């Protein structure tokens, strides 16, 4: 008991911390911030996940708009033919296709494939 009195005499702020209401308040704050299932740290992690998911939603909505615009363009037969020729190197009968590749294109493809 004497050691406790000496400690309180040397450090007056400990007297404030010895109050039971303050102790309960400190325990409650520690519990809420770190130990509870709905703690502040858990909320931060969940908020980050929500932000990532919302960013994904925005990205996919823009991609859907782009794709639906492409689909509208491809409803025309001339556009379908042009797309097939450019993308898949398709050709008509009795027609020859020559594919020209440049050195710069090959190097950029290698760099993109390595990433």
């Amino acid at each position: 008991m004497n050691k406790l009195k000496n400690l309180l005499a040397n450090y007056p702020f400990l007297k404030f911390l010895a109050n039971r209401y303050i102790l309960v308040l400190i325990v409650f704050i520690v519990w809420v911030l770190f130990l509870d299932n709905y703690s502040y740290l858990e909320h931060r992690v969940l908020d980050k996940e929500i932000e990532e998911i919302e960013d994904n939603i925005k990205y996919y909505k823009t991609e859907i708009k782009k794709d639906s615009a492409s689909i509208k363009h491809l409803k025309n037969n001339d556009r379908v033919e042009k797309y097939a020729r450019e993308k898949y190197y398709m050709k008509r009968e009795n027609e020859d296709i020559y594919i020209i590749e440049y050195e710069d294109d090959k190097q950029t493809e290698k760099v993109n494939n390595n990433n």
Side-chain angles (χ1 to χ4, degrees):
M1 195 67 167
N2 287 336
K3 290 182 182 179
L4 183 61
K5 287 182 182 179
N6 288 338
L7 261 173
L8 290 175
N10 290 338
Y11 302 104
F13 67 90
L14 288 178
K15 186 176 182 181
F16 176 73
L17 293 177
N19 187 345
R20 67 178 135 180
Y21 298 110
I22 299 299
L23 286 175
V24 168
L25 182 65
I26 291 172
V27 168
F28 175 75
I29 289 172
V30 168
W31 181 268
V32 168
L33 287 178
F34 302 108
L35 303 174
D36 195 27
N37 286 338
Y38 305 104
S39 68
Y40 174 72
L41 299 176
E42 185 69 25
H43 274 281
R44 286 183 54 202
V45 170
L46 293 175
D47 288 340
K48 286 181 184 177
E49 287 181 15
I50 288 171
E51 288 176 7
E52 289 176 8
I53 291 171
E54 287 175 349
D55 290 340
N56 285 342
I57 289 171
K58 289 177 187 175
Y59 170 76
Y60 287 121
K61 282 184 179 181
T62 57
E63 289 299 313
I64 288 171
K65 287 179 184 177
K66 289 179 188 175
D67 290 342
S68 52
S70 317
I71 290 171
K72 286 180 184 177
H73 287 292
L74 291 176
K75 287 187 177 178
N76 185 353
N77 286 335
D78 295 333
R79 299 240 184 200
V80 171
E81 184 178 342
K82 180 180 177 185
Y83 183 79
R85 287 170 169 263
E86 291 176 357
K87 188 78 172 175
Y88 300 109
Y89 306 117
M90 294 183 143
K91 64 179 186 131
R92 292 182 183 156
E93 289 184 29
N94 301 326
E95 186 177 62
D96 294 331
I97 296 179
Y98 298 101
I99 300 173
I100 300 172
E101 293 184 4
Y102 297 103
E103 292 289 328
D104 296 338
D105 293 339
K106 290 180 183 178
Q107 290 175 355
T108 54
E109 286 178 12
K110 287 180 183 177
V111 170
N112 290 338
N113 290 336
N114 290 336
N115 289 335

